[in-house]
Amino acid sequence: MAEQPSTGLACASTGAVGVSGDPGAELAVTVVLCVAPRQVREWALQLPLGACVGDALRACGLAEHADANAVGVWGRPAGADLMLKPQDRVEVYRPLQVDPKVARRERFARQGARATGLFARRRPGAKSGY
């Protein structure tokens, strides 16, 4: 058996047999990569039962992205050794360009206190803050 090159992602999926007892059974998963704002690449994969996140990323050639970026399953952080279930969605996230707290402070400074938050749309004659 030929040894695959190590990519830093390890998983113990070696021909696991599913509940049905069928060694050829597969599970369908989707891998999603956010390339840029509003640009998403998606892969629909058929993996053997017992496959993990690392196997899914290797199957679509994204193993190098997993080392640099955060990876999750259905919006929850996940490691490369997390076992996948049928219909799971593996997501590879981009790093943030701006800290959300800093962006909010800058937006508030530009708009001023009267145009943000509770004070943005007041009813005529209403007290401030309501």
Side-chain angles (χ1 to χ4, degrees), residues 1 10-16 47-56 58 81 83:
M1 185 172 185
C11 186
S13 65
T14 54
L47 298 173
L49 287 176
C52 63
V53 171
D55 294 334
R58 274 191 294 278
D81 57 345
M83 293 298 203

Side-chain angles (χ1 to χ4, degrees), residues 96 98-109:
L96 292 175
V98 179
D99 182 19
K101 290 180 182 179
V102 172
R104 183 180 181 283
R105 281 190 209 113
E106 289 174 358
R107 206 170 40 250
F108 188 82

Side-chain angles (χ1 to χ4, degrees), residues 68-82:
N69 299 334
V71 177
V73 176
W74 288 111
R76 298 190 183 260
D81 57 345
L82 178 73

Side-chain angles (χ1 to χ4, degrees), residues 42-124:
E42 188 172 319
W43 292 267
L45 302 174
Q46 294 290 325
L47 298 173
L49 287 176
C52 63
V53 171
D55 294 334
L57 295 175
R58 274 191 294 278
C60 52
L62 296 176
E64 68 278 354
H65 288 285
D67 295 336
N69 299 334
V71 177
V73 176
W74 288 111
R76 298 190 183 260
D81 57 345
L82 178 73
M83 293 298 203
L84 294 172
K85 295 180 280 239
Q87 306 303 318
D88 268 351
R89 176 184 166 105
V90 178
E91 302 162 344
V92 181
Y93 306 115
R94 290 183 302 121
L96 292 175
Q97 299 294 323
V98 179
D99 182 19
K101 290 180 182 179
V102 172
R104 183 180 181 283
R105 281 190 209 113
E106 289 174 358
R107 206 170 40 250
F108 188 82
R110 271 195 321 270
Q111 294 173 348
R114 297 220 177 257
T116 59
L118 294 173
F119 309 105
R121 293 186 186 104
R122 284 192 301 178
R123 292 182 307 215

